[in-house]
Amino acid sequence: MLRSRSSRMILKLKMLVVLLCVAGIGMYYPFTVPDQRLCACAKCLSEDKELLLLRMNHSYRPFLTPDFVLSQDAFNWWKRLQNEKRTYKTYKIITNNIFKMFPRNPDIIQPKSDRCITCAVVGNSANLRGSHYGPLIDSHEIVIRINRGVTRGFEKDVGNKTTHRVMYPESAMDLDNNTHLVLVPFKMQDIEWLIKAFTTGFKGRSYAPIKSKINAKKNLIMVLNPGFMKYVHEVWLQHNGSYPSTGFMTLILSLHICDEVDVFGYGADSDGNWSHYWEILEDKTLRTGVHPGNYEYAIIQQLAQHQKIQFHTGLIKPKRPNAARWRGG
Ligand SMILES: *[C@@H]1O[C@H](CO)[C@@H](O)[C@H](O)[C@H]1NC(C)=O
Ligand SMILES: *[C@@H]1O[C@H](CO)[C@@H](O)[C@H](O)[C@H]1NC(C)=O
Ligand SMILES: *[C@@H]1O[C@H](CO)[C@@H](O)[C@H](O)[C@H]1NC(C)=O
Ligand SMILES: *[C@@H]1O[C@H](CO)[C@@H](O)[C@H](O)[C@H]1NC(C)=O
Ligand SMILES: *[C@@H]1O[C@H](CO)[C@@H](O)[C@H](O)[C@H]1NC(C)=O
């Protein structure tokens, strides 16, 4: 959107120059064409044409806003994720309610030609153990963590800064007062939960226990757009799997809101085991379930090979990429 706005502006300026020349006024070419750069990094994701060939599409809005109208088609896709029974009309009522309480516009940093928005996306893989990535992760302006990825006690490897935490009700945790809560809604109840968790407390049930109340800053709430989730599934994953994992959606989200992306904590550990960095999972046979883990991992590797992201895989690279699955939702 920004790109097209700025290229439209440049076009208008060029037309103006042509008109002035034709009119014989512009003998000394009175304008300099504005700097085309959209950010101050060495490379800016928002102006990367090759990324468009790799499926990026800037026309999808990452976050819900009051004026966004979800297409019926996208609603029907979203409805199937966790067997939503209620109608589009109910969806509209529920989503309208969130903006009575939470910001109408997501608190994101607008790209600027004199600024470089660097992001660290931190997954929960055990390959972070012993990595000493902490200071590198914390050096980013934006640090995005996922679900219950803890920092206390693991600062050396994962850092201690969290500007954004992406989660859903079943994976929620309390946040400190400068962390954005990015809700990934998989069903209408998830959006209702957000409202209840900040007011009377949530009493409903789900496939896992849900926190009734949450501590977080109301003005730092952002809700991922179901239309964006569908875009990740259909465009980035080419319909593979039932729907994308939270980790993968977070990574694609970062390509849309950051100028530069470093990725940590995705994939298996050096033995191909699946664990979180903070716990040994008992169930070694755990799989990514409805999520197309292998396909997601292949896309991440492709982005890294094309130098769109920096992919930090821990001390030892996973031996078998096809054993690599992101775990956690
Ligand atoms: C981006 O998405 C929009 C909306 O679905 C679509 O109309 C457009 O063709 C897409 N652009 C590319 C380059 O695929
Ligand atoms: C995070 O770690 C840095 C040093 O590594 C320290 O200066 C800072 O106080 C820590 N912040 C928090 C919130 O723990
Ligand atoms: C935010 O948290 C910090 C550290 O936990 C605390 O010192 C500060 O008072 C809090 N600010 C607000 C506005 O709650
Ligand atoms: C998975 O993606 C590939 C494209 O890389 C596509 O050919 C295939 O049809 C997709 N699988 C499914 C089940 O849609
Ligand atoms: C992977 O799991 C096996 C079996 O539980 C264990 O012996 C091995 O140490 C694990 N590898 C790592 C790197 O934790």
Side-chain angles (χ1 to χ4, degrees):
M1 281 170 293
L2 280 160
R3 141 189 256 32
S4 64
R5 203 182 306 143
S6 84
S7 56
R8 236 181 289 135
M9 199 176 77
I10 291 162
L11 190 68
K12 275 191 195 152
L13 277 172
K14 282 185 183 158
M15 279 163 58
L16 184 64
V17 168
V18 170
L19 281 173
L20 288 174
C21 290
V22 169
I25 307 167
M27 282 175 3
Y28 303 106
Y29 194 77
F31 305 105
T32 50
V33 175
D35 186 6
Q36 269 186 283
R37 300 299 313 282
L38 294 178
C39 82
C41 317
K43 290 200 289 186
C44 310
L45 287 176
S46 53
E47 65 187 15
D48 191 317
K49 296 219 167 57
E50 200 188 12
L51 198 51
L52 302 177
L53 301 177
L54 294 170
R55 300 168 185 179
M56 183 85 167
N57 187 330
H58 293 282
S59 68
Y60 291 92
R61 305 243 291 255
F63 300 105
L64 280 184
T65 52
D67 62 328
F68 178 77
V69 181
L70 185 67
S71 71
Q72 187 70 48
D73 190 39
F75 176 75
N76 290 340
W77 174 85
W78 184 69
K79 224 179 122 143
R80 284 195 291 268
L81 304 187
Q82 291 187 4
N83 281 316
E84 180 59 61
K85 295 286 189 294
R86 289 179 282 174
T87 61
Y88 186 81
K89 208 174 142 198
T90 312
Y91 163 83
K92 270 178 30 194
I93 295 168
I94 293 172
T95 45
N96 279 338
N97 284 339
I98 56 178
F99 299 111
K100 292 181 187 151
M101 210 168 147
F102 304 116
R104 299 171 66 82
N105 288 301
D107 179 38
I108 51 176
I109 306 172
Q110 293 303 328
K112 273 167 80 175
S113 56
D114 60 352
R115 179 157 194 179
C116 178
I117 308 169
T118 59
C119 296
V121 179
V122 189
N124 293 329
S125 167
N127 69 28
L128 284 169
R129 263 187 232 141
S131 67
H132 293 77
Y133 284 150
L136 177 60
I137 288 172
D138 285 347
S139 71
H140 293 76
E141 177 161 11
I142 292 182
V143 178
I144 309 174
R145 301 186 193 271
I146 298 155
N147 297 334
R148 299 209 175 109
V150 292
T151 53
R152 184 167 300 176
F154 300 90
E155 291 87 348
K156 237 187 220 162
D157 293 335
V158 307
N160 66 8
K161 175 174 169 182
T162 309
T163 63
H164 294 71
R165 190 173 287 273
V166 180
M167 60 199 198
Y168 46 91
E170 293 83 357
S171 75
M173 62 184 271
D174 290 334
L175 303 181
D176 63 27
N177 57 22
N178 44 31
T179 302
H180 294 76
L181 190 169
V182 181
L183 178 79
V184 185
F186 291 104
K187 53 189 174 305
M188 291 197 214
Q189 177 174 285
D190 297 354
I191 302 172
E192 293 171 309
W193 168 82
L194 194 60
I195 297 168
K196 295 280 186 197
F198 278 91
T199 53
T200 54
F202 179 80
K203 306 262 168 11
R205 302 172 71 86
S206 185
Y207 58 85
I210 301 186
K211 265 174 89 63
S212 166
K213 290 215 166 201
I214 190 162
N215 289 323
K217 274 294 228 213
K218 266 193 208 171
N219 61 348
L220 298 181
I221 305 292
M222 303 151 109
V223 181
L224 199 67
N225 182 345
F228 188 86
M229 297 164 70
K230 179 172 183 272
Y231 148 71
V232 175
H233 185 237
E234 296 191 348
V235 177
W236 283 95
L237 296 180
Q238 300 282 297
H239 302 266
N240 280 273
S242 303
Y243 55 94
S245 69
T246 306
F248 190 72
M249 285 190 275
T250 304
L251 200 153
I252 302 303
L253 173 67
S254 74
L255 299 178
H256 282 254
I257 62 172
C258 308
D259 293 324
E260 234 176 58
V261 173
D262 284 69
V263 176
F264 304 86
Y266 280 64
D269 70 11
S270 53
D271 282 351
N273 291 342
W274 277 88
S275 275
H276 291 144
Y277 58 82
W278 68 90
E279 64 183 356
I280 305 287
L281 292 172
E282 294 299 317
D283 182 6
K284 298 278 186 204
T285 63
L286 206 71
R287 301 194 175 264
T288 48
V290 296
H291 308 310
N294 298 343
Y295 199 79
E296 291 183 353
Y297 197 81
I299 303 285
I300 298 172
Q301 285 186 314
Q302 190 188 25
L303 286 167
Q305 275 154 15
H306 287 81
Q307 296 173 338
K308 306 308 163 201
I309 59 171
Q310 290 275 339
F311 188 23
H312 305 267
T313 52
L315 296 180
I316 313 157
K317 285 189 198 298
K319 277 183 227 153
R320 293 184 306 131
N322 70 353
R325 297 163 302 228
W326 188 85
R327 224 209 129 255

